[in-house]
Amino acid sequence: MPNLQRDATNGENVRMERPPERAPDDRATPGHPFVERRPECTELEAFAWSLRAGQSRALVLVGEPGVGKTALLSYLVERASGCRVLRGRGIEAERELGFAGLHQVCTGLLDRGDQLPDPQRTALHTALGLAAGPAPDRFRVGLAVLGLFAEAATELPLLCLIDDAQWLDRESAQVFAFAARRMASESVGLVLAVRTLEEARELAGLAQLAVHGLAEAEARALLDSVLPGQVDERVLDRIVAESRGNPLALLELPRALMAPELPGGFQLASASASLRGVEARFGPELAALPCETRRLLLVAAAEPMGDPVLMWRAANQIGIDDRASAPADAAGLLTIDSRVRFRHPLLRLILYRAAPAEERRLVHGALAAATDPDTDPEQRAWHTAQAEDRPEEAVAAELERSADRSRVRGRHAAAATFLARAAELTPDPAHRALRRLKAAQITHQAGALDVTQQLLALAEAGPLAPLPRAQAALLRGRVALVARRCEASPLLRTAAVQLESLEPRLARDAYLEAIASGWDGGAATKPVNLPALVSAARAVPLAHADPTDRLLEGLATLLTAGYPAAVPIVRHALQALCAPTPPGEESVYWLQLAATAAAHIWDDQTWRVLAAHHAQLARGMGAFSMLAHALSMSIAAHTCTGDLAGAAALAEERAVLTKATGHSVPCFGTPVLTAWQGRDGVAEIILDTLDAESHRHGEDHGTHTVAWAKALLYNSLGRYDDALAVAQPASLRPAEAGVPLWGAQVELVEAASRAGVPDRATRAVEQLGASARAAGTEWALGIAARCRALVGDCRGTEAAFRESVQRLGRTRMQSELARSHLLYGEWLRRQQRRADARQHLHVAHEMFVAMGAEAFAQRTNRELGAAGETVRKGKVETTGRLTAQEVQVAALVREGLSNPEIGARLFISPRTVEWHLGNIFSKLSITSRRQLCRRSPFLTSTSTGTSAGPRKEGNHRGKAS
């Protein structure tokens, strides 16, 4: 844990940091990717190495606002393991306050001031306002700071980072520059980030590192990460060109826009702070341009593809002369060559918003006339619609056809925007309401819940027939299913009742969604009557039997006759759902129910297949609203099979997705992944945060999942009393609840046996044994055998451990197999059979390290030490470390997907896939997709933060038994 020492005077943090060694590209935080900058990172790595080697260095990072200087400073902190880190920032409002910047940095070091000569100490205290006296001599202040840094570096190398140094007061800047020029071998590093050296002349002469914009491939990868969905490649090209690779511009643009994939033009959001800043910056220059030039700029702003031919064709239609571009070109506002590019990516939005409505309609009419209806029908339809100022059914109908074409291509946000505009242009009130409902349905799939509710309210205010009104009620329930799952079940049941006589198939789906919401998303304060829901769903007559009949029968049996009777029925239903012809698109709202049922009956193969199918279906439909839930289940499935790298990749995809859609919902897979990763000092904080989030959303399911995860984490850390305290109440959750009961029960048994109170686990062992026998899977029976071994007498213990290892070795549950080896090895050591113990402990340690289970690996290492042997922590070759998204790309390559198919699956462009593949080949020292397919599927992700090499298949299955 970082040691935060807060200075009561100025509130700045002084951080004592010893971050783990990470690969060069591990700088991402969820939703804020850090695209690799190899030259800059290499320079900073060398800087950190020199510091640890006893040298002193100073460096000035120079780059325009938003280019990534702050992110590079954070990267340097990560690489500076074993160093004390001080961070400061120039503040524009304090530029006239002498020594204000120095006060930020040095106050936390004043305990070492006694080592300074009296004149220097007095000068420093006076400069910092800690003592009265005449204006201090700056030379003495500089010497004092140099001495203070040197004294602080006697224990640990000292790294001092100052961001926005162009806003430092002049006195502080001079002192820092003075110290930087005189450092030699004190193990002190000083890094200052500035926009330009002209703004920080005091730093002239110090070593510099210029930070430029990202190259095109990196810029596209960053833009792809914040624009999920299918986006027109021409629009992407234009944004990348106008941003000039500036990461902040690339990240800010989606926040200033609505419907960013709209092929005919961007929709303006409310004026953001960034938009107002650009307005203030360019407003005077725009106002000084001739009227005809401003009109040409408006044409360019309304044409999103940056096509110069189309722009000039439209401009000539409204009488704009070819010479009109000269003033804009001279001012550097617009560049016209093979593409039309604005000086700033938000400038086109400002121009469009500032233009009068009549001018905008004129320009759109010219663009519509200039656009080829055969090659770009969507653009032509959009421009035509934007040129209208009154309802026109023919235009609205063409927009609706464009929406249908866009939806087929997976561009749901564009389709919804087309439909919303079509509704505005529809003369007939009933038809207008239908189009708004259709737009709301598509917008919901795209994940824009606020816009969905606005469109839905407008649709419900209009005249709707019974079936559309019931569909609107269903959509309200589905919005709740995503936004506040614990409140969705009653809304979905109401919709299902309305649909029974109108659309039985849709009514059955609505009931399944209500059951799914009540089963694994219900709140303790609002219990859901699951038996009544299941009975109502079974009563809906369908023309043909389908797998949902068997699934409902299984759930009814579970709720009435109990678990053993329900297992074979549920298993039969789940196998049918795994058939080559899966259920249709409506199943995206309830397929998580089936995946949860698979986990309940201990069917590891079906669980992972259904979780993967759910995520694939949601991706294919562009149903971002449900993809977050689907990914949550996939994260849990990957984690429990030991694929923590794959789970971390899915978690990163989910984080980026929720950030891009602007709506975050609790992820029930993340607690289990966090617990298995087992990063001491970090995992518990994450789990507490997730627990608070679940309480805030009223998700009873989430609080129980976190309890299970905490018990798992505490067991991995050897904190058995803590594990017992949280596992005991969690294991008493009703069997029909959404969280599989075995999760907390398994942790309870291990915690109780290790805490010396095995009698407290007796009931859990009995329940696990009964459910395992009913399930009959190797996973269930292997877990039950291990639990018997933990609480049984010595005569049957070894046989039970052997059975556990053998059975789990025949499953995908590599995480549980590793635990069985660990527990068996611990028992053997306590029986004084150290050689046998080491054999199993070595297997467990190898598996935990390969998975990235840090706490379990450390626990195993301690046990090996007690058995007379220690496993050194192996260093990881950075060439073998992949980012989370690179892990996903590698996995999809092994599935045989092409670059376009991978791009469609991950919502990134094929060119970004190609860029990721280039990075993968470089890191793995390979040159072809064929070689990648031969590599182990357990590639290490930097998101796990754990070292692991390629996994050796087969050597964990009964090797030591």
Side-chain angles (χ1 to χ4, degrees), residues 800-820:
F801 272 128
R802 286 179 177 272
E803 179 186 349
S804 177
V805 168
Q806 289 168 352
R807 288 188 181 279
L808 290 172
R810 293 191 284 267
T811 72
R812 302 176 64 98
M813 311 305 290
Q814 297 298 293
S815 55
E816 294 298 341
L817 174 59
R819 288 183 76 175
S820 289

Side-chain angles (χ1 to χ4, degrees), residues 888-960:
Q888 287 181 292
V889 170
L892 295 175
V893 168
R894 281 193 294 271
E895 289 182 22
L897 273 64
S898 65
N899 285 6
E901 290 169 331
I902 295 172
R905 181 80 66 89
L906 300 181
F907 305 116
I908 58 179
S909 68
R911 278 193 277 179
T912 300
V913 175
E914 185 178 351
W915 177 72
H916 281 309
L917 275 175
N919 290 338
I920 292 167
F921 290 170
S922 174
K923 291 178 181 181
L924 300 183
S925 300
I926 58 178
T927 57
S928 70
R929 298 169 82 99
R930 181 177 299 176
Q931 287 175 298
L932 179 58
C933 291
R934 291 200 294 265
R935 291 297 293 263
S936 161
F938 286 85
L939 293 169
T940 302
S941 163
T942 58
S943 293
T944 67
T946 306
S947 60
R951 178 173 180 164
K952 298 175 182 177
E953 291 295 334
N955 66 337
H956 305 312
R957 301 195 172 189
K959 172 181 176 181

Side-chain angles (χ1 to χ4, degrees), residues 20-50:
E21 291 293 325
R22 297 181 186 271
D25 46 6
D26 185 19
R27 280 91 63 193
T29 56
H32 295 280
F34 187 111
V35 180
E36 182 171 357
R37 295 170 175 267
R38 177 47 34 202
E40 292 92 337
C41 290
T42 301
E43 178 69 25
L44 294 179
E45 288 163 8
F47 187 99
W49 184 90
S50 318

Side-chain angles (χ1 to χ4, degrees), residues 232-253:
D232 194 299
E233 286 285 320
R234 296 170 295 177
V235 174
L236 285 177
D237 287 340
R238 178 169 183 167
I239 294 172
V240 169
E242 288 179 350
S243 70
R244 304 186 311 281
N246 186 296
L248 183 62
L250 291 164
L251 292 172
E252 280 291 324
L253 187 61

Side-chain angles (χ1 to χ4, degrees), residues 104 182 198 243 599 644:
Q104 277 192 54
R182 286 158 179 80
E198 286 71 21
S243 70
L644 302 193

Side-chain angles (χ1 to χ4, degrees), residues 666-667 671 683-708 710 726:
C667 176
E684 197 167 1
I685 296 173
I686 295 173
L687 291 177
D688 285 340
T689 302
L690 293 170
D691 194 26
E693 186 180 358
S694 295
H695 278 292
R696 188 167 58 252
H697 283 80
E699 297 283 7
D700 188 42
H701 176 92
T703 59
H704 282 271
T705 305
V706 171
W708 164 26
K710 280 189 172 180
V726 292

